[in-house]
Amino acid sequence: MENDKRSETIEKLKKAGKEEFLKNGYQRASLRMICNSAGVTTGAFYFSFESKETLFKAILEPLVNQYEAMLGELMKGEIENPATGVDADKIMMQFLLAHREEVMIIMHGADGSCYENYHQRVEEFMRHSFAAYYRSQLGCEPDETLVRVLAKMRLEGAMAILNEDVDVEKKMYLTEKIGIHATGGTEKLIESLKKEVHR
């Protein structure tokens, strides 16, 4: 019974915390407001979480772990079968849409927290994946600057779709069409780079 009550308190605090972090970002988020919204005392808060950062991490870490595992699998699948690129983009967008609030917090409201530079971590992960993909297609190391720009474009494209003021169906449509466009562009780019390699 006591464990149920504690679990319920934790869930209330996570829900109220997510709302507060979304509204004010990590730095400006108020523990008092989180406790008021959750209907618990600050004592109950500190019984459940050591600090504001512990709460922040409890809200975001499971999704971060899930996102990184999924991103790794999708990128690996794309290297093995380039035709899966558009499907991978759609799966990724479905995940981002299902967790849009958390994405907004981590990308725009994480200053001062353990996830302050998380977008750089995602870019780096994408750079490694892009480099591996182009290496598999070219048989040599791709241009590092080109890979960095392509990874940044992909991440910014996903965020642009996420931020568009349109319904989910339209966001998925945009993801598919931009994925098709990117695939065609990628094929042309690889052709161009192969010509450079064989000069």
Side-chain angles (χ1 to χ4, degrees):
M1 188 74 171
E2 193 175 311
N3 280 345
D4 289 348
K5 190 170 168 120
R6 182 157 189 254
S7 295
E8 188 182 326
T9 299
I10 287 170
E11 289 311 308
K12 282 181 183 178
L13 285 166
K14 283 165 74 173
K15 183 176 185 293
K18 185 169 84 169
E19 290 168 7
E20 179 70 6
F21 294 133
L22 186 61
K23 183 179 172 187
N24 293 312
Y26 175 79
Q27 283 184 321
R28 292 180 43 229
S30 160
L31 276 183
R32 188 181 311 145
M33 290 300 294
I34 292 169
C35 290
N36 286 346
S37 295
V40 302
T41 63
T42 52
F45 175 86
Y46 285 112
F47 186 71
S48 303
F49 296 99
E50 288 177 22
S51 64
K52 180 168 72 167
E53 183 147 28
T54 310
L55 171 62
F56 194 71
K57 215 171 168 186
I59 294 165
L60 296 175
E61 191 168 55
L63 293 171
V64 165
N65 292 340
Q66 192 180 344
Y67 172 77
E68 289 181 357
M70 183 174 59
L71 190 60
E73 285 301 309
L74 292 173
M75 292 292 188
K76 184 178 165 203
E78 204 172 338
I79 289 168
E80 292 168 2
N81 182 4
T84 63
V86 175
D87 290 334
D89 288 346
K90 287 165 68 177
I91 291 166
M92 187 59 62
M93 183 53 67
Q94 285 170 336
F95 179 85
L96 295 176
L97 288 169
H99 305 288
R100 187 180 185 283
E101 292 177 342
E102 291 88 345
V103 172
M104 292 300 126
I105 292 168
I106 208 163
M107 296 303 276
H108 304 294
D111 288 353
S113 78
C114 58
Y115 289 115
E116 182 171 12
N117 296 311
Y118 187 72
H119 62 284
Q120 291 172 350
R121 191 162 132 193
V122 174
E123 272 185 40
E124 186 180 331
F125 192 90
M126 285 189 168
R127 275 199 308 274
H128 289 304
S129 298
F130 270 64
Y133 177 78
Y134 278 87
R135 196 180 306 116
S136 74
Q137 298 299 306
L138 298 170
C140 65
E141 286 299 317
D143 182 275
E144 192 179 314
T145 307
L146 176 63
V147 167
R148 186 171 60 248
V149 171
L150 289 170
K152 194 180 216 49
M153 285 170 53
R154 189 166 193 177
L155 182 58
E156 287 173 359
M159 290 307 297
I161 292 170
L162 206 57
N163 287 324
E164 278 295 315
D165 189 20
V166 293
D167 62 24
V168 171
E169 190 177 329
K170 183 71 169 186
K171 287 178 195 275
M172 292 308 297
Y173 169 84
L174 292 170
T175 300
E176 179 183 16
K177 297 308 175 199
I178 290 167
I180 291 167
H181 175 266
T183 300
T186 298
E187 288 167 1
K188 291 285 185 192
L189 177 58
I190 286 168
E191 281 176 32
S192 169
L193 293 172
K194 279 181 176 173
K195 285 177 188 170
E196 287 178 16
V197 168
H198 298 300
R199 271 188 197 154

